[in-house]
Amino acid sequence: MTDDASPDLRASDADRERVAEVLRDAVAEGRLDMEEFEERLEAVYKARTYGELTPITRDLPAAGAATPTPVSFVKASAESGGWASRVVGGEGSSSGGIAILSGFERKGRWTVPKRFSCFAFMGGGEIDLREANFADHEVEINCVAVMGGVQVVVPPGVEVVVRGIGIMGGFEHPRDDGPAEPGAPRVIIGGIAFWGGVGVERKVTRAEQKRLKEQRRQEKLEHRRSRHELRQAVREDGHELHRAQLEEWHELHRQRREERRERRRGRRY
């Protein structure tokens, strides 16, 4: 693990696959037997943080090379200009939105003012901040929804404070994705929802979604290649895997894949 990687940081599927690869190499080299391999592999897919992953390969020679490296959204953001380049000051490009028996959208490249007000009566609106710039480090979005709804989409790393009041309606709080990132703006969402609702959710950009999809595809290809190499290495070493053990190993991987799919569906919805 790198010096700046906290053991409390959440591990990704890619991190777990890298550690699993070390275990596959170890069993192929005879450093682990199948029982140890299965126990450690199960621990890998149960791990949630770097601190839980690190001990699994600590006694293996390749552990240092395969120790997970945290993927920092802050670093990615800095490479593309960083939050500093998105807090531009000045006036917003839109100060509000109205939806009366209709709808409105604010999405793509636009500048969020210090105060954005919107009203939805038997209609709906979408305020997407994933690609937006911000007029200030703290912006306020005031929503009034009467028998209608407003959906606010924020990127990871942005601090969100929900202060709205629901009367036979409600304000949804976003899922907690960790502390706010350095330099990220603070978004305060207030107002009132009467027989309506204001939803808030975190999503990555479409470009990031596409990148993650391609990354998962590459991980699957790498996983298949690793399984093939493991079988080949075991054959070359003259070891034979018992059929029941092999079937159990495949079943374990199938279950882990299903669990990861369920987690992704949960994050997506």
Side-chain angles (χ1 to χ4, degrees):
M1 186 176 297
T2 57
D3 294 337
D4 59 345
S6 169
D8 296 327
L9 288 178
R10 303 283 288 191
S12 68
D13 286 342
D15 295 326
R16 284 183 278 271
E17 285 299 331
R18 281 192 287 269
V19 176
E21 177 69 16
V22 176
L23 297 179
R24 295 184 192 107
D25 291 341
V27 75
E29 295 167 357
R31 302 181 189 276
L32 296 175
D33 58 30
M34 284 304 300
E35 184 177 354
E36 289 179 298
F37 170 70
E38 291 170 359
E39 289 176 356
R40 295 195 188 197
L41 192 64
E42 184 175 2
V44 167
Y45 289 117
K46 286 182 178 179
R48 293 291 177 266
T49 65
Y50 292 118
E52 294 173 350
L53 279 177
T54 301
I56 297 174
T57 55
R58 183 169 288 160
D59 59 344
L60 299 175
T67 301
T69 301
V71 178
S72 171
F73 187 84
V74 178
K75 181 180 178 182
S77 180
E79 291 173 352
S80 61
W83 286 115
S85 66
R86 295 180 61 178
V87 181
V88 296
E91 300 295 329
S93 57
S94 174
S95 61
I98 299 176
I100 300 177
L101 299 174
S102 61
F104 72 86
E105 284 185 346
R106 298 294 184 273
K107 60 196 307 184
R109 291 289 183 181
W110 67 293
T111 301
V112 185
K114 292 183 180 180
R115 181 178 175 86
F116 181 92
S117 300
C118 61
F119 175 74
F121 175 73
M122 297 182 69
E126 180 181 2
I127 305 170
D128 192 335
L129 308 181
R130 289 177 292 178
E131 299 179 7
N133 293 323
F134 298 83
D136 195 78
H137 284 284
E138 181 174 293
V139 299
E140 183 177 349
I141 298 176
N142 187 67
C143 304
V144 177
V146 180
M147 293 183 287
V150 177
Q151 188 71 17
V152 182
V153 183
V154 297
V158 171
E159 181 185 0
V160 179
V161 179
V162 179
R163 296 175 178 169
I165 300 173
I167 302 175
M168 290 183 289
F171 274 73
E172 180 184 84
H173 289 254
R175 183 185 60 190
D176 185 11
D177 286 340
E181 294 169 359
R186 185 172 189 244
V187 178
I188 301 173
I189 300 173
I192 186 169
F194 178 73
W195 280 16
V198 176
V200 185
E201 63 178 334
R202 295 186 189 274
K203 283 185 178 180
V204 297
T205 62
R206 291 180 177 84
E208 181 66 7
Q209 289 174 351
K210 184 176 180 180
R211 186 191 69 79
L212 292 173
K213 183 178 180 181
E214 177 62 21
Q215 179 180 326
R216 288 193 294 268
R217 189 182 73 83
Q218 293 296 333
E219 288 172 359
K220 289 179 181 178
L221 293 175
E222 180 64 21
H223 180 60
R224 291 172 186 166
R225 182 191 66 79
S226 299
R227 286 196 303 177
H228 174 75
E229 291 179 352
L230 173 61
R231 293 192 183 110
Q232 184 66 26
V234 170
R235 284 196 297 268
E236 291 175 356
D237 289 343
H239 299 292
E240 293 184 359
L241 295 176
H242 190 274
R243 182 178 296 276
Q245 289 179 316
L246 186 59
E247 289 177 354
E248 184 179 351
W249 188 74
H250 281 300
E251 179 63 17
L252 179 63
H253 276 275
R254 186 191 67 78
Q255 292 175 1
R256 297 302 175 237
R257 287 197 299 270
E258 288 297 327
E259 290 175 2
R260 290 199 298 275
R261 290 193 188 101
E262 289 300 323
R263 290 200 301 271
R264 287 168 186 152
R265 289 193 191 102
R267 289 196 296 267
R268 188 175 302 122
Y269 298 104

